[in-house]
Amino acid sequence: MLQFFPPLLAAALNALVAGVRDPQQLAELAQGKAKAKREALAVALTGQFDEHHAYLLNRLLEAIDRTQAQLDDLTGRIEAALADLAEPDGVEAGKEGDLTPQERLDEIPGIGPATAQVILAEIGLDMAIFPTAGHLVSRAKFSPRTMQSAGRNLPGGIGQGNPWLRAALGEAAMAAARTDTFLGARYKRLVKRRGHGKALVAVARSMLVIVWHLLSDPDARFHDLGSDYHLRVLDSAARTRGLVRQSRLSATR
């Protein structure tokens, strides 16, 4: 019970349900650094908490326990279903000790076990139905469209796509944007000129490309390119092209 609450709060709530009302006695439950603040805690724990409040609190805690038990049961069934998934036709089964597809996706920054489960549930394991990563990205509606009007090409957004996959990748992209990784650096580069929303879509699209490669090759593992990848490779290549272009212009003068 109360496993998601801070230790002091959990202990105080259990004590209140058990009938403890003395603020000083409740403050004595403090642990670690909180022990130095017992006087302030005693003041904070002083109130009009009676038996009726204890009854209602106990009902709420029991509801939390029931909900958590249901979540644990569903999580167990999901994990069992993922473990029983057969490898796609034509793909050799992994060796003993190899990571599962969920565990390999979990290595991508921003993607946790729950997000990996959603992704696998929505796109499956068989990437043979998507000849390239671009096909998967397009099917998931993470490829920007171009609309033509009066002879002009206008950006048309990315469309709706699978709402569950979209939500999972959106949350993962927001988490990855805060990391010191290639994906985090990609977000920081794009958000300056494209805005928050478009930068997140670009990061989510990159994550989906990584997912395709990991699921297409059972032996593939995720390796982060590093937050300085653009500086090491892309920017240096752009500078090289610029210098070559300048040298050619100078030679023609």
Side-chain angles (χ1 to χ4, degrees):
M1 182 186 285
L2 303 176
Q3 57 192 16
F4 299 111
F5 289 86
L8 174 58
L9 178 58
L13 292 178
N14 282 326
L16 287 169
V17 171
V20 178
R21 299 290 180 268
D22 183 11
Q24 292 294 340
Q25 189 175 350
L26 292 172
E28 290 297 323
L29 298 172
Q31 302 175 8
K33 296 181 179 179
K35 291 182 178 180
K37 303 178 181 179
R38 287 175 178 169
E39 292 184 7
L41 288 173
V43 175
L45 291 168
T46 301
Q48 303 297 322
F49 193 92
D50 57 28
E51 292 304 317
H52 178 66
H53 297 131
Y55 171 81
L56 294 178
L57 175 59
N58 192 38
R59 298 286 78 78
L60 291 173
L61 296 180
E62 289 176 351
I64 292 175
D65 285 344
R66 287 195 300 272
T67 302
Q68 186 58 49
Q70 293 173 346
L71 289 174
D72 292 341
D73 178 63
L74 289 172
T75 299
R77 291 179 65 87
I78 291 172
E79 292 175 348
L82 288 173
D84 291 340
L85 282 177
E87 293 289 350
D89 295 338
V91 177
E92 216 175 289
K95 303 173 185 176
E96 186 176 353
D98 285 351
L99 295 180
T100 64
Q102 176 185 333
E103 291 171 333
R104 287 188 290 131
L105 296 190
D106 189 18
E107 294 182 329
I108 303 173
I111 294 183
T115 303
Q117 291 174 357
V118 173
I119 293 173
L120 292 174
E122 298 306 325
I123 68 175
L125 285 174
D126 187 6
M127 292 297 101
I129 59 178
F130 304 111
T132 66
H135 286 80
L136 173 59
V137 171
S138 178
R139 179 66 177 271
K141 300 296 184 184
F142 275 91
S143 293
R145 298 175 298 171
T146 299
M147 310 294 289
Q148 290 187 341
S149 176
R152 295 185 302 166
N153 292 329
L154 303 173
I158 60 173
Q160 295 300 319
N162 185 311
W164 295 279
L165 180 61
R166 183 188 182 96
L169 287 173
E171 292 180 3
M174 284 191 287
R178 296 190 292 269
T179 63
D180 186 25
T181 61
F182 167 78
L183 293 172
R186 177 165 172 74
Y187 171 82
K188 293 178 180 67
R189 283 172 60 90
L190 293 174
V191 72
K192 297 175 183 177
R193 64 179 187 273
R194 305 293 290 178
H196 175 70
K198 291 183 178 179
L200 283 181
V201 170
V203 172
R205 182 164 58 248
S206 296
M207 298 176 83
L208 202 53
V209 171
I210 296 171
V211 167
W212 182 88
H213 284 285
L214 291 177
L215 296 182
S216 296
D217 181 1
D219 296 324
R221 294 286 298 275
F222 173 78
H223 296 285
D224 183 39
L225 296 175
S227 58
D228 61 343
Y229 174 77
H230 295 95
L231 295 176
R232 288 188 291 105
V233 180
L234 300 183
D235 287 354
S236 61
R239 286 197 298 269
T240 300
R241 290 193 300 270
L243 291 173
V244 170
R245 185 166 55 251
Q246 291 177 14
S247 64
R248 288 176 178 173
L249 291 174
S250 299
T252 56
R253 290 176 180 173

